[in-house]
Structures are given as structure tokens and as C-alpha cells.
Amino acid sequence: MAGLSSRSAVAIHALAMLAHRRGGSLTSAEIADSLESNPVLVRRILGRLRDADLVWSAEGRGGGWSLARAPRDITLYDAYAAVEGAQIFSRHTHPPSGACEVGRTIGDVLDAEFQSAERALEERLGGTTIAGLLGRILASGAGQRDH
């Protein structure tokens, strides 16, 4: 899909780790270690999550990132919207030819299809909380490691 990137996966991973910490904080380096990623990338994603009021940070010794809300109050769609933006599908960058039978109406037809698909994504991701996701992770045994 045009608008999707790894940012959502990174954001959800970070939120799940913070939820697993149960009120404690993690540094961006600790989260990056679990992702096998760069702490700068993780800080950029966490900054977007902070802008959306999903996490907060404390500076200095003993500082780090923490959830700003209970894991049951954060959905996967909250994370997605914070880091990806609202529009998944790209529209025409400029209007197609009105002289063409297809060009005249394709924009409206595509908009309806794209809006329907975006609503379905919002409903699906909005129905799963970070708490629910973490429960599934831990139940599957993937959370057995100390990350």
C-alpha cells in the first residue's frame, strides 16, 4: 500500500514494550535494541507518539519514555495515525483530463473506494488495544524473552 511504512510497526513495538514495562520507562536505546534498529529512528517515532499524547519522556539520569495513557486506552490505530498520517492511498496529484471518459469520473470512484478501505483499516486497527496486543504476544511465547 502506498501510505504504509515500517513506522507503524516500530511505533506499535515501542508501545508494546512500554506497556510490558508496566509504568516504568525505557530509553530509546533499549527500544532500539529490541528492534535491532537505530536509536535515532526510534526517537523520531517516539517523538511523533509524544506529539499524539501517547507517550511522554523524562530527561536526564533515570529518564526515558513512558506511556501517557493506559495500554487499554491506546489502539493500534492511534499509533498508526500518529506516525503515518491519515491518508493511506495517494490520490491523483492533478486532475485527469475531463475530455476522457475514464478521466472524468475515475477520481470520484477511486475516492469512494479508498475512503471505504481507509475506514475498514481504521475500524480494524481501532478494535485492538496495546493491552490486547501485548496479551497475545505474551500468550504466544514471543514475550518470554526479557525485552
Side-chain angles (χ1 to χ4, degrees):
M1 280 188 229
L4 296 177
S5 71
S6 63
R7 289 186 302 261
S8 293
V10 170
I12 292 166
H13 186 129
L15 291 169
M17 286 186 68
L18 292 170
H20 190 241
R21 187 50 67 115
R22 291 187 182 92
S25 65
L26 291 170
T27 66
S28 53
E30 290 170 318
I31 296 169
D33 282 347
S34 177
L35 286 157
E36 294 189 353
S37 183
N38 184 318
V40 173
L41 166 75
V42 171
R43 276 192 295 277
R44 192 173 304 133
I45 297 294
L46 289 167
R48 289 182 179 195
L49 294 174
R50 180 185 52 219
D51 292 345
D53 297 322
L54 300 177
V55 299
W56 61 275
S57 63
E59 300 288 330
R61 187 173 168 85
W65 296 87
S66 301
L67 292 180
R69 294 191 232 163
R72 70 180 175 277
D73 296 330
I74 301 172
T75 68
L76 301 189
Y77 186 76
D78 293 332
Y80 166 83
V83 299
E84 300 288 353
Q87 200 173 66
I88 301 166
F89 297 101
S90 298
R91 279 31 177 202
H92 285 96
T93 54
H94 52 80
S97 171
C100 171
E101 186 176 0
V102 172
R104 256 192 316 271
T105 57
I106 192 166
D108 291 340
V109 173
L110 277 180
D111 277 349
E113 288 296 316
F114 291 169
Q115 287 172 5
S116 177
E118 288 167 351
R119 276 192 305 276
L121 176 74
E122 182 176 353
E123 287 175 22
R124 177 71 177 107
L125 294 181
T128 303
T129 65
I130 293 298
L133 183 75
L134 180 61
R136 288 174 28 211
I137 291 167
L138 296 176
S140 73
Q144 296 285 325
R145 293 184 298 178
D146 199 22
H147 287 281

